[in-house]
């Protein structure tokens, strides 16, 4: 990462930044001596959330009191049982992205948070393929 800072110096409000990639974390010391230039790599804190049922949920979704209280105890319990079912009885031959998500999260959590997005994304991909002249004939 040091060679990258020589090309485009990191600008951050702190002296150290923590980078997480593929569940691995590393800490980088920020060299602030070249921050007079406009050509800097800006580092900002980021917050990702899912808007569902008129409530915001942290993403990635974590099993926390905050999440349980927003989902409700019964719905959380049903999501847990659905997940356990997907672990014990997974879909053997995953043929779609939906099968993939159901095997990893359970059908209830998939339907709650991911189904609408997956369908919209799938429609977008099909639309792009059609626009580019690729047709299933």
């Amino acid at each position: 990462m040091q060679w990258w800072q020589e090309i485009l110096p990191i600008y951050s409000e702190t002296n150290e930044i923590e980078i997480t990639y593929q569940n691995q974390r590393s800490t980088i010391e920020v060299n602030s001596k070249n921050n007079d230039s406009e050509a800097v790599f800006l580092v900002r804190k980021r917050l990702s959330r899912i808007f569902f049922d008129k409530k915001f949920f942290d993403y990635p979704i974590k099993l926390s009191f905050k999440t349980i209280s927003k989902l409700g105890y019964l719905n959380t319990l049903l999501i847990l049982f659905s997940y356990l079912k997907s672990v014990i009885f997974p879909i053997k031959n995953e043929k779609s992205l939906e099968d993939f998500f159901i095997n990893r999260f359970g059908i209830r959590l998939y339907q709650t948070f991911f189904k609408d997005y997956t369908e919209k994304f799938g429609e977008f991909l099909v639309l792009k393929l059609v626009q580019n002249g690729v047709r299933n004939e």
Side-chain angles (χ1 to χ4, degrees), residues 26 32 38 45 49 57 63 68 75 90 94 96 98 101-102 113 115 120 132 137:
S26 60
S32 59
E38 289 184 18
K45 294 232 180 239
R49 299 184 294 179
F57 291 83
L63 185 60
I68 293 170
N75 199 19
E94 294 175 355
S96 66
E98 183 175 85
F101 280 126
I102 290 170
F113 289 112
K115 186 174 193 267
K120 287 176 187 172
N132 291 332
E137 296 181 20

Side-chain angles (χ1 to χ4, degrees), residues 5-34:
Q5 288 189 52
E6 292 172 13
I7 297 170
L8 195 62
I10 296 174
Y11 178 78
S12 177
E13 296 170 353
T14 60
N15 292 334
E16 285 184 344
I17 58 171
E18 185 177 80
I19 295 177
T20 305
Y21 180 68
Q22 294 185 341
N23 291 326
Q24 295 180 356
R25 293 181 180 177
S26 60
T27 302
I28 297 174
E29 302 252 348
V30 177
N31 183 359
S32 59
K33 63 183 174 188
N34 294 331

Side-chain angles (χ1 to χ4, degrees), residues 38-88:
E38 289 184 18
V40 294
F41 183 79
L42 295 174
V43 176
R44 299 287 184 250
K45 294 232 180 239
R46 188 177 124 189
L47 176 65
S48 297
R49 299 184 294 179
I50 297 173
F51 187 67
F52 170 74
D53 199 25
K54 299 180 185 172
K55 298 174 195 124
F56 283 103
F57 291 83
D58 291 338
Y59 183 82
I61 298 167
K62 298 176 182 81
L63 185 60
S64 65
F65 178 75
K66 188 175 169 182
T67 303
I68 293 170
S69 64
K70 288 179 181 180
L71 282 172
Y73 294 109
L74 178 62
N75 199 19
T76 303
L77 197 59
L78 292 172
I79 287 170
L80 175 66
F81 286 135
S82 172
Y83 171 73
L84 292 174
K85 180 183 174 192
S86 72
V87 170
I88 297 168

